Amino acid sequence: MTQKKEHTGIILAGGKSSRMGEEKGLLFLHDKPFVRHIAEALQPLVREIIIVSDQEEYDQFGYKRVEDIFKDTGPVGGLYTGLLSSTTTSNFVISCDVPLITTALLSKLQDSDEEHFDVIQFRAQDKSMPLIALYKKRCAAICKKQLETGERRLRKLVASLSTKSIPVDEKEYILVSNINTPEDLKNVRYAIND
Ligand SMILES: Nc1nc2c(ncn2[C@@H]2O[C@H](COP(=O)(O)OP(=O)(O)OP(=O)(O)O)[C@@H](O)[C@H]2O)c(=O)[nH]1
C-alpha cells in the first residue's frame, strides 16, 4: 500500500462532448461545475491536481492545466499527457463527467494500490471503469506506443496492462455514473434533488 498524498489527481477534460452538446466538465450540478466537484473529491488524497484540456476556461479553477500533446486522440491521448505531466508514481485518472464521485470512494482505490499493478480501476456490475482509476506513471510509454500504431481505444490499452478491479457496492453505483447526455444529466438531477 502507498502513502496518502503520494498521488496526483488527473482530470481528463478534452474530447468533443458530442453526446452532451456542450463542454461536460463545465456543466453545473447543485451549485458547482462538474470539474470542481471532482477536484474537491480528489483534493484530500493528492499532492497536485492536473486538468488535461486545451480549453482555457478550465484555468478559472486555479489548478494546473496541461494541453494534449497528441491532439484528437481521445482518452488515451489525455492519459498520456496527464501521466507525463505528473511527478508521482501513482495517479488518479478521472473523466470530467463523474461529478458525484466522493473522496471516500476514491480512497478505496488508493487503499488497493500496489506497485506491481499498472491500473487499479472500479468495476460496477460487469462494467469496468478505466476512467475512475489509478494508473502508474510508467503507463505513459505504453499509451504512446499504442497511439503510434493508430489504435485509440482505451479498453485496448487497459487490456494490455496489469489491472486490478475493485467492485463498487450497489448503493454506490450512482456515485460512479457517467453523465454523457442531456438525458443522463436530467436523470441524475432528479435522483439527487438538484
Ligand atoms: N485530454 C483529453 N481528454 C479527452 C479526450 N477525449 C476524451 N477525453 C476525456 O475522456 C473522458 C471520456 O470521454 P468520452 O465521454 O468517451 O468522450 P467525449 O469526447 O468527452 O464525449 P463524446 O463526444 O460524447 O463521446 C472525458 O472526461 C473526456 O473529457 C482528448 O482527446 N483529450
Side-chain angles (χ1 to χ4, degrees):
M1 198 190 295
T2 53
Q3 293 294 308
K4 294 202 185 263
K5 294 280 186 186
E6 287 190 354
H7 292 76
T8 298
I10 297 170
I11 304 175
L12 300 188
K16 298 198 164 39
S17 285
S18 53
R19 286 167 289 172
M20 184 60 78
E22 57 185 300
E23 187 68 26
K24 280 189 289 192
L26 299 174
L27 289 169
F28 272 65
L29 200 62
H30 287 314
D31 54 342
K32 273 181 275 188
F34 285 13
V35 156
R36 175 74 81 190
H37 283 283
I38 298 163
E40 287 180 2
L42 283 166
Q43 194 82 72
L45 306 174
V46 301
R47 231 189 243 181
E48 181 182 39
I49 289 176
I50 299 174
I51 298 177
V52 188
S53 176
D54 289 0
Q55 305 291 329
E56 285 176 9
E57 289 100 307
Y58 286 103
D59 289 339
Q60 65 182 288
F61 302 109
Y63 302 110
K64 178 173 171 177
R65 180 179 63 89
V66 294
E67 301 201 354
D68 280 327
I69 296 168
F70 295 125
K71 303 296 182 197
D72 300 322
T73 51
V76 176
L79 174 61
Y80 171 71
T81 297
L83 291 176
L84 216 61
S85 313
S86 145
T87 56
T88 59
T89 302
S90 196
N91 303 276
F92 286 98
V93 176
I94 315 290
S95 57
C96 66
D97 51 18
V98 290
L100 298 180
I101 198 74
T102 63
T103 304
L105 199 55
L106 290 173
S107 70
K108 288 190 191 179
L109 290 175
Q110 205 167 39
D111 291 342
S112 306
D113 198 1
E114 288 176 64
E115 160 53 31
H116 64 283
F117 284 110
D118 297 321
V119 188
I120 323 277
Q121 65 182 351
F122 277 128
R123 190 185 63 240
Q125 289 162 311
D126 284 335
K127 190 176 163 240
S128 58
M129 317 200 82
L131 289 182
I132 309 179
L134 288 176
Y135 286 79
K136 297 297 185 312
K137 184 173 167 72
R138 60 180 180 255
C139 297
I142 303 159
C143 294
K144 184 165 186 264
K145 237 181 184 167
Q146 178 176 308
L147 289 173
E148 284 169 351
T149 69
E151 174 59 70
R152 294 176 38 171
R153 284 173 294 173
L154 179 61
R155 292 197 184 271
K156 199 85 180 172
L157 177 89
V158 173
S160 75
L161 300 172
S162 137
T163 304
K164 180 174 170 184
S165 294
I166 312 293
V168 178
D169 295 341
E170 207 174 322
K171 61 179 185 323
E172 294 171 329
Y173 286 169
I174 179 99
L175 305 181
V176 295
S177 40
N178 291 97
I179 301 177
N180 278 313
T181 64
E183 189 68 14
D184 294 341
L185 183 58
K186 206 171 111 195
N187 291 340
V188 163
R189 283 192 169 136
Y190 181 77
I192 66 166
N193 268 327
D194 183 24

